[in-house]
Amino acid sequence: MIKGQNFRLKLGDKFIAGATNLQIHVSSNLEDTSSKDSTGNAQEQEMTGYSYDLTSDSFFSLVGDATGASSFDLLKATVMGQKVAWEADMVSGAQNREAESAGASTHKIGGTLIFNDGSITAQNRQNSTATFQAQGTGELLFDGVAATVANFA
């Protein structure tokens, strides 16, 4: 069982400070390959590619620290449309920001993304929060290996 606080998003060399939630979504692109030669009523599908995106929720912060990126940093990345290297990994230690040593039970997911949506919520008498969404660009990497059918067959 993996506890949520031990699976963190890292952008470049920094984790997201005050992170509360991480969602990674991967979707296969399918193409209908049914033809007059197909039998039955069911469609025949073939995978033509995939796409991925992620959403990160955190407490809103204007200033990061040596190992944590602030919400303000993510807001700037969203406005600038810059590509950012990312990695999601098992963590432990101080503030859950130390990557666990490589082992059979430790796996990393990563790639490159572009933040395309961000929102900040500042409700009276509540902690301010931030939500950022990003679209993957390029290959999705599993333990540093590109996600291709040949690599995972």
Side-chain angles (χ1 to χ4, degrees):
M1 179 90 47
I2 297 173
K3 298 284 186 190
Q5 68 267 24
N6 298 116
F7 190 68
R8 298 280 305 260
L9 176 63
K10 189 175 186 180
L11 303 173
D13 62 349
K14 294 188 174 192
F15 292 95
I16 296 178
T20 58
N21 186 47
L22 169 63
Q23 181 180 15
I24 301 171
H25 177 255
V26 181
S27 179
S28 296
N29 304 327
L30 302 176
E31 182 177 333
D32 182 5
T33 58
S34 303
S35 70
K36 292 180 181 185
D37 297 327
S38 301
T39 58
N41 293 325
Q43 286 184 327
E44 296 177 11
Q45 302 284 337
E46 183 176 306
M47 184 175 155
T48 59
Y50 64 89
S51 60
Y52 63 96
D53 60 79
L54 62 83
T55 301
S56 175
D57 299 316
S58 65
F59 292 112
F60 180 68
S61 59
L62 290 173
V63 179
D65 55 37
T67 60
S70 70
S71 305
F72 189 71
D73 294 331
L74 297 181
L75 190 60
K76 288 191 297 186
T78 303
V79 171
M80 295 172 61
Q82 64 192 41
K83 290 183 179 180
V84 179
W86 71 278
E87 183 175 273
D89 195 3
M90 295 298 299
V91 294
S92 59
Q95 295 179 303
N96 284 322
R97 293 187 188 172
E98 295 173 21
E100 292 189 357
S101 59
S105 62
T106 302
H107 295 287
K108 296 178 184 178
I109 304 169
T112 305
L113 52 78
I114 298 175
F115 283 96
N116 63 320
D117 189 47
S119 64
I120 298 165
T121 303
Q123 187 174 349
N124 190 39
R125 298 179 190 226
Q126 301 291 320
N127 289 323
S128 297
T129 59
T131 299
F132 291 93
Q133 296 177 337
Q135 296 293 315
T137 177
E139 297 286 346
L140 186 60
L141 305 174
F142 291 90
D143 295 327
V145 177
T148 64
V149 174
N151 290 333
F152 293 100

